[in-house]
C-alpha cells in the first residue's frame, strides 16, 4: 500500500522527539554555562582585593587622626625620685661636721622666723666652738683632746642639779652607747642618762638633786624639759658636745631627723646660745 512505511510511523515520531529533546539539553547547558562564568568573574579575587584596598584607604585616615590626637595630648611628666641620704652617701663619703655647719643650720631654720637683727644675735663667733671630730676619734679620745684638764675640773665641780659636760644625742639607745664609751675618760666622775624612755622626769630631777653629777648624756627633748622644770641648771656647764656625725640604721644624723632637730634648736635657744656669747660654754661637734 502506498501508506505503508514499513515500520510503525508513531515509533519514528517518538524517536525523533527524543532526539530533539537530547539536542535541546546540551544547547540549554551551553547557554547556562556562560552565565555561571559571568557570576564567577564578578566574584574574582581581584575584585576582592580592590574592595580591601578601598576599605584600607578609608580606615587609614581615621587611624592618622587618632594618632594625631594622641600626639597632641599633653604627656604626663615622670616625677623624679628625690635623692635619699643613702643615695647621696653611696656616691660620696660622709664629711665631718664643723662649726660652719651648725651655724648654717641655725640661720636656715630661723631665717623666716626672726628679723635681720635677731638673726645677727643668733650668730656665734668661732671662739665659741671647740675643735670638731675628724671621724678618727672615739668619744673618750675626743673629750681628752678638747678638755685636757678634766681631772682638775671634775674635782672643782661641786654644784648639784648641774653638769660640767652635756652630751646631746638622738635617742635613748645612743645615750647608753655613749655612756659606755666614756669609761676611758670620766675617771671617778659621775655620768647620768637624760632621756624619756622608761624614766619619769620627776625621777631624774631627784637623781640630779641627790649628788654631784659631772656629765649628762641624753636627748634634746628631755634635757630641755629638765631645764624648764628647773631640774637641770646650766650654771656649771662648760662644754656642750653634739653627737653630730653619728648615723643610725637609715644613715640619718641627729639633725636629719626633724623632731630631734627641732628639739635641739629649742635647746640651743633655751640658754645655751646666751651662755656661749658670754664665753661660759663651748660647743663641740663629735
Amino acid at each position: 500500500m502506498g501508506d505503508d512505511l514499513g515500520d510503525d510511523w508513531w515509533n519514528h515520531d517518538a524517536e525523533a522527539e527524543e532526539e530533539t529533546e537530547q539536542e535541546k539539553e546540551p544547547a540549554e547547558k551551553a547557554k547556562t554555562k556562560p552565565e555561571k562564568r559571568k557570576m564567577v568573574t564578578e566574584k574574582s579575587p581581584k575584585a576582592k582585593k580592590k574592595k580591601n584596598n578601598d576599605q584600607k584607604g578609608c580606615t587609614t585616615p581615621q587611624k592618622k587622626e587618632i594618632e594625631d590626637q594622641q600626639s597632641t595630648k599633653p604627656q604626663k611628666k615622670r616625677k623624679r625620685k628625690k635623692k635619699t641620704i643613702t643615695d647621696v652617701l653611696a656616691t660620696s663619703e660622709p664629711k665631718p661636721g664643723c662649726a660652719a655647719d651648725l651655724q648654717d643650720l641655725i640661720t636656715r631654720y630661723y631665717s623666716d622666723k626672726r628679723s635681720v637683727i635677731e638673726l645677727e644675735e643668733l650668730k656665734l663667733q668661732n671662739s665659741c666652738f671647740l675643735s670638731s671630730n675628724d671621724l678618727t676619734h672615739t668619744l673618750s679620745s675626743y673629750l681628752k683632746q678638747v678638755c685636757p684638764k678634766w681631772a682638775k675640773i671634775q674635782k672643782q665641780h661641786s654644784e648639784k642639779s648641774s653638769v660640767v659636760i652635756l652630751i646631746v644625742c638622738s635617742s635613748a639607745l645612743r645615750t647608753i652607747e655613749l655612756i659606755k664609751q666614756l669609761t676611758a675618760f670620766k675617771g671617778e666622775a659621775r655620768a647620768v642618762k637624760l632621756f624619756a624612755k622608761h624614766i619619769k622626769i620627776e625621777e631624774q630631777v631627784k637623781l640630779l638633786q641627790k649628788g654631784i653629777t659631772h656629765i649628762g648624756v641624753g636627748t634634746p627633748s628631755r634635757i630641755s624639759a629638765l631645764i624648764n622644770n628647773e631640774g637641770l641648771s646650766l650654771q656649771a656647764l662648760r662644754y656642750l658636745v653634739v653627737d653630730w656625725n653619728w648615723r643610725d640604721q637609715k644613715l640619718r644624723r641627729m639633725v636629719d631627723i626633724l623632731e630631734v632637730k627641732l628639739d635641739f634648736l629649742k635647746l640651743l635657744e633655751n640658754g645655751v646660745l646666751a651662755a656661749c656669747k658670754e664665753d661660759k660654754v663651748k660647743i663641740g661637734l663629735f
Side-chain angles (χ1 to χ4, degrees):
M1 286 179 72
D3 292 332
D4 187 7
L5 298 175
D7 292 321
D8 294 334
W9 61 267
W10 56 86
N11 289 334
H12 288 287
D13 292 337
E15 288 176 1
E17 286 176 1
E18 287 177 1
E19 287 177 0
T20 54
E21 284 176 2
Q22 288 177 359
E23 288 176 358
K24 285 179 182 180
E25 284 177 3
E28 287 175 359
K29 286 180 182 179
K31 286 179 182 180
T32 55
K33 278 183 181 178
E35 290 177 1
K36 287 183 180 178
R37 284 178 185 174
K38 285 180 182 179
M39 295 296 289
V40 171
T41 52
E42 286 177 1
K43 295 181 181 180
S44 62
K46 288 182 180 179
K48 287 182 180 179
K49 283 183 180 179
K50 285 181 181 179
K51 287 182 180 179
N52 292 333
N53 290 332
D54 293 338
Q55 289 176 357
K56 285 180 182 179
C58 295
T59 54
T60 49
Q62 293 178 356
K63 287 182 180 179
K64 285 181 180 179
E65 287 178 4
I66 293 166
E67 288 175 358
D68 293 337
Q69 288 176 2
Q70 289 177 352
S71 61
T72 55
K73 284 182 181 178
Q75 294 180 354
K76 292 182 179 179
K77 293 182 179 179
R78 291 182 181 179
K79 291 183 179 180
R80 291 183 180 179
K81 290 183 179 179
K82 291 183 179 180
K83 287 187 177 181
T84 61
I85 299 169
T86 309
D87 296 333
V88 174
L89 290 177
T91 56
S92 62
E93 293 182 0
K95 295 180 180 179
C98 60
D101 293 332
L102 177 57
Q103 191 65 65
D104 183 58
L105 175 69
I106 295 169
T107 304
R108 281 189 288 108
Y109 177 73
Y110 289 108
S111 61
D112 58 345
K113 300 175 181 64
R114 298 286 189 275
S115 65
V116 177
I117 298 171
E118 288 173 334
L119 285 173
E120 286 294 326
E121 292 177 354
L122 291 172
K123 287 185 178 179
L124 298 173
Q125 300 296 325
N126 290 332
S127 58
C128 297
F129 292 94
L130 301 167
S131 61
S132 301
N133 178 20
D134 58 0
L135 303 181
T136 61
H137 286 285
T138 62
L139 181 59
S140 289
S141 65
Y142 175 72
L143 291 174
K144 285 178 182 178
Q145 178 183 333
V146 299
C147 186
K149 298 180 180 180
W150 174 244
K152 183 180 178 180
I153 292 170
Q154 72 168 359
K155 287 179 181 179
Q156 292 175 348
H157 177 58
S158 59
E159 291 187 32
K160 293 181 179 180
S161 300
S162 187
V163 295
V164 179
I165 298 176
L166 191 57
I167 301 171
V168 185
C169 60
S170 60
S171 65
L173 290 174
R174 181 60 179 164
T175 299
I176 295 169
E177 288 178 12
L178 291 174
I179 286 178
K180 289 178 181 178
Q181 293 181 25
L182 284 172
T183 306
F185 169 77
K186 68 177 184 176
E188 296 178 358
R190 184 188 178 204
V192 294
K193 298 173 287 187
L194 303 175
F195 56 77
K197 194 173 183 179
H198 307 309
I199 304 174
K200 293 180 181 179
I201 192 168
E202 293 82 8
E203 294 176 4
Q204 289 177 335
V205 170
K206 290 178 182 178
L207 184 64
L208 290 167
Q209 289 174 347
K210 275 185 180 179
I212 296 169
T213 306
H214 301 85
I215 304 172
V217 186
T219 57
S221 59
R222 177 46 63 93
I223 292 170
S224 293
L226 287 167
I227 293 170
N228 293 332
N229 290 330
E230 297 182 353
L232 178 65
S233 171
L234 301 178
Q235 191 65 33
L237 183 65
R238 295 183 65 176
Y239 303 100
L240 178 74
V241 177
V242 185
D243 189 28
W244 186 276
N245 297 302
W246 182 80
R247 296 178 184 271
D248 61 10
Q249 291 180 349
K250 295 181 180 179
L251 302 178
R252 298 175 302 178
R253 299 172 302 172
M254 184 182 89
V255 293
D256 294 326
I257 304 168
L258 181 60
E259 291 181 4
V260 179
K261 180 179 75 173
L262 295 177
D263 291 334
F264 172 62
L265 290 168
K266 288 177 184 176
L267 172 61
L268 292 179
E269 203 175 8
N270 198 4
V272 174
L273 294 178
C276 289
K277 289 191 173 184
E278 294 173 4
D279 203 24
K280 292 180 180 179
V281 177
K282 304 283 186 183
I283 299 175
L285 302 186
F286 170 65

